Amino acid sequence: MLSTMPHTPLRIRRLLEHGATRHGTAQVTTATETGVVSASYADVAQNAARLARALRDLGVHRGDRVATLMWNNQQHLEAYYAVPTMGAVLHPLNFRLPPDVIAHIANQAEDRVVIVDASVLPMFEGLLPMLRTVRHVIVNGEDADRPSARRVSWHGYAELIASQPAVYPWPDLHEDQAAAVCYTTGTTGAPKGVVYSHRSVYLHATSVSLPGHFALSHAERMLAVVPQFHVLAWGLPYAAFLTGMQLAMPGRFLAAQPLVDFIGAVRPTKAAGVPTVWQSVLDHIAADPARHAEICSLQEIVVGGSACPPSLMRAYEERHGILMLHAWGMTETSPLGSISRPPADVDSAAAWRYRLSQGRFAAEVEARLIGAHGEPLAHDGQTVGELEVRGPWVTASYFKDQGEDKFHDGWLRTGDVGSITADGYLTITDRLKDVIKSGGEWISSIELENLLMTHQDVLEAAVIGVPDEKWGERPLAVVVPRDQHAPVDTAALRDHLAELLPSWQVPRLWAVVGSLPKTSVGKFDKVALRELHAKGALETSAAA
Ligand code: AMP
């Protein structure tokens, strides 16, 4: 028996129309050079219609890729709605990658138009001659210097949309049509394109909004620190129009001091971003405790993208009363995979253990653990294997790339290693490429890092495996001292670890550095650390 329900396509257009009308007065607030600027969702929707017309006039057709090189801001939000809803494909480019990598990505995606923030133009100058398919550049903001390039027309964003009508005949698109493409950051291989559909974006937006997930509603204002070029800002711009949640966009003002200024000015209730950002905010406030009052509007921070050190979670909760929610995901998973709200019926010690894990999987995300010979492993919270996932917002292939080794019988091989409890909580112990294989046993680099960062003298820590004649590999701990002017006693750090771990897991090799290399999205860059070590550029010593 079939249902009596229609098959209504799930499209970004519905989110746009819902947000524009039923949440039309909700605001997106952006930090700009000249202060804080707000616009209502009704205004954003009108500008999205104007932008869609302008793009159509420039010759953008269905399926064409429109790239952005933008910070988190109102105009970027407008592009998030205009481009997919008119039937084109939004391609947020990560401008922190090297120009030749950006060019490779933009050329592979065949981007026809680039919308670029004026503040990114100095970088764009070197990039533009390498862009083979771009025909139009739209500059958002003052564009004093336009780099020259043949076959490319230049437009100002504000002027381009000013004369356009505020309505657009949005087409009826198939829900499986491409809405946006994001590339993996390529930290462990060439960047790969993941193409999201209208349906996957819509379903993902409903799931992140759930009370058991990010708990989003019209009563919240979200500070989106996670860049809009990183997995569509974790879906927040779409969840905002779905729920009426207001958005606070920090633009390019991401250093701790201006970020805290912005939080103090716009009073968000929630925030989202990678751990390194929150560490810098924490340190900033520790140095100037009076600023605590400025962040006290925040109730919850969603933190993901890399393992969140438990010391960071505890510090926010104990010092500032802010709950950190640990979440796991990937570009390939849109990104929500799991999030760490503990079950209702556990005591506070157990609740902490749950919260420190990467969390419980979303209903739509199926997960399994696979052993070294491809065999499925138990979900008993102990057994460790490679995580594989599948679901309606988990990619099943890459754009123009076979990626054969990344898929296994219709499941995505995540490259992450960990365990799953019987009640579906994930603990990631490592990336497959970062795990340290010592004498046939695996040592979790994440566990060593987390324990090191609980030590009062350590600001940041990253652990990599380095070749060892006897054991195959041994851990090398690279630490950043909390006090750059005081020597770090690595023997004391080793003793600290020896109290908590079996002795064979404790690193003998140490390096003390002023800062750790970070990837384009702010994660510790272990590939760069391994290269530094291989070149002999890391000064190491054995803890006495
Ligand atoms: P990206 O596609 O750049 O977002 O990177 C995805 C990868 O980031 C995952 O495969 C994990 O290795 C890592 N990652 C994301 N969230 C977490 C987390 N909460 N804990 C540990 N690793 C994470």
Side-chain angles (χ1 to χ4, degrees):
M1 180 177 166
L2 287 178
S3 81
T4 57
M5 296 297 150
H7 180 84
T8 306
L10 303 176
R11 295 189 279 239
I12 292 175
R13 175 178 172 182
R14 186 82 288 272
L15 300 177
L16 174 63
E17 290 172 346
H18 175 74
T21 53
R22 298 172 190 158
H23 298 294
T25 57
Q27 305 271 310
V28 53
T29 305
T30 306
T32 74
E33 283 71 11
T34 51
V36 165
V37 175
S38 291
S40 70
Y41 288 180
D43 292 339
V44 168
Q46 291 195 351
N47 283 345
R50 293 187 178 103
L51 177 60
R53 288 243 183 203
L55 290 172
R56 196 181 64 180
D57 290 353
L58 295 182
V60 172
H61 296 111
R62 282 204 195 177
D64 285 348
R65 267 73 78 191
V66 175
T68 55
L69 274 167
M70 302 173 86
W71 301 96
N72 289 14
N73 57 37
Q74 177 195 328
Q75 290 74 20
H76 207 171
L77 181 66
E78 290 164 4
Y80 259 54
Y81 280 100
V83 175
T85 313
M86 71 184 287
V89 182
L90 179 78
H91 182 194
L93 286 164
N94 176 350
F95 50 75
R96 295 217 169 101
L97 292 171
D100 58 322
V101 177
I102 305 177
H104 166 77
I105 290 172
N107 290 335
Q108 195 195 57
E110 299 173 51
D111 297 335
R112 286 182 60 81
V113 176
V114 183
I115 311 177
V116 53
D117 275 339
S119 59
V120 182
L121 281 178
M123 183 284 280
F124 189 62
E125 192 162 357
L127 174 64
L128 184 59
M130 292 188 266
L131 300 180
R132 291 199 298 268
T133 56
V134 169
R135 296 290 170 267
H136 296 277
V137 176
I138 303 173
V139 180
N140 178 38
E142 297 293 318
D143 58 326
D145 301 313
R146 289 177 173 188
S148 56
R150 283 184 298 128
R151 299 191 319 270
V152 173
S153 315
W154 287 79
H155 316 270
Y157 185 95
E159 302 82 67
L160 189 71
I161 69 167
S163 56
Q164 300 288 357
V167 287
Y168 187 87
W170 301 116
D172 285 332
L173 302 171
H174 194 287
E175 63 175 4
D176 291 331
Q177 187 166 327
V181 56
C182 283
Y183 274 69
T184 60
T185 41
T187 38
T188 53
K192 291 182 164 51
V194 175
V195 185
Y196 309 104
S197 66
H198 282 255
R199 180 172 191 269
S200 72
V201 166
Y202 193 110
L203 289 172
H204 181 267
T206 59
S207 183
V208 287
S209 304
L210 289 173
H213 295 166
F214 293 8
L216 309 179
S217 80
H218 60 278
E220 308 288 347
R221 174 174 279 131
M222 170 67 77
L223 172 70
V225 178
V226 49
Q228 285 185 255
F229 59 69
H230 190 213
V231 210
L232 300 179
W234 300 353
L236 297 174
Y238 297 117
F241 272 50
L242 176 80
T243 62
M245 170 185 75
Q246 318 218 45
L247 283 169
M249 301 299 216
R252 64 187 175 87
F253 303 99
L254 295 169
Q257 179 167 344
L259 197 56
V260 172
D261 291 345
F262 186 56
I263 297 172
V266 302
R267 318 294 296 160
T269 54
K270 290 185 190 271
V274 294
T276 45
V277 171
W278 305 118
Q279 184 66 56
S280 69
V281 168
L282 190 73
D283 296 338
H284 175 73
I285 296 174
D288 186 0
R291 304 213 77 192
H292 158 78
E294 294 180 60
I295 62 160
C296 66
S297 63
L298 286 173
Q299 290 159 9
E300 289 188 335
I301 296 177
V302 183
V303 62
S306 57
C308 183
S311 51
L312 188 67
M313 293 173 76
R314 287 188 194 276
Y316 268 94
E317 186 153 335
E318 286 162 13
R319 291 189 218 162
H320 302 298
I322 300 171
L323 199 83
M324 279 200 141
L325 282 170
H326 194 193
W328 170 87
M330 312 171 68
T331 306
E332 288 88 335
T333 65
S334 291
L336 180 69
S338 63
I339 182 152
S340 67
R341 287 192 194 271
D345 51 356
V346 294
D347 63 26
S348 61
W352 255 111
R353 281 198 300 279
Y354 277 110
R355 285 193 46 213
L356 297 179
S357 78
Q358 273 71 10
R360 182 155 47 191
F361 288 102
E364 293 81 352
V365 179
E366 288 180 79
R368 66 181 190 180
L369 291 175
I370 297 295
H373 307 292
E375 73 283 13
L377 300 175
H379 293 191
D380 57 9
Q382 304 289 325
T383 312
V384 168
E386 185 181 359
L387 173 67
E388 296 190 348
V389 291
R390 66 178 181 189
W393 59 74
V394 177
T395 200
S397 61
Y398 291 105
F399 182 59
K400 293 187 182 171
D401 185 323
Q402 295 304 313
E404 272 155 11
D405 58 334
K406 294 287 286 176
F407 300 96
H408 178 196
D409 298 339
W411 295 73
L412 172 75
R413 296 183 60 190
T414 64
D416 286 331
V417 174
S419 61
I420 301 176
T421 59
D423 52 352
Y425 280 78
L426 167 72
T427 296
I428 298 282
T429 49
D430 246 319
R431 291 281 305 159
L432 208 47
K433 291 193 171 133
D434 292 338
V435 81
I436 300 152
K437 296 171 192 101
S438 173
E441 298 282 351
W442 284 9
I443 301 177
S444 159
S445 65
I446 292 181
E447 185 174 21
L448 287 172
E449 290 158 7
N450 283 346
L451 290 174
L452 280 168
M453 285 188 274
T454 60
H455 194 281
Q456 61 195 15
D457 294 345
V458 176
L459 181 64
E460 290 178 337
V463 180
I464 54 170
V466 294
D468 182 276
E469 269 185 22
K470 183 166 176 199
W471 301 105
E473 254 183 2
R474 289 295 299 155
L476 161 65
V478 187
V479 294
V480 180
R482 183 166 294 283
D483 181 352
Q484 298 278 350
H485 305 294
V488 165
D489 182 357
T490 50
L493 298 182
R494 185 205 52 200
D495 293 347
H496 166 69
L497 292 182
E499 280 172 24
L500 303 160
L501 291 172
S503 58
W504 60 270
Q505 296 192 3
V506 176
R508 250 177 36 82
L509 272 183
W510 295 77
V512 179
V513 296
S515 64
L516 285 172
K518 310 266 177 3
T519 70
S520 60
V521 288
K523 309 181 192 191
F524 295 154
D525 191 342
K526 296 201 191 175
V527 175
L529 271 182
R530 279 194 280 268
E531 280 169 9
L532 284 175
H533 178 261
K535 279 196 299 203
L538 269 185
E539 200 178 315
T540 59
S541 64

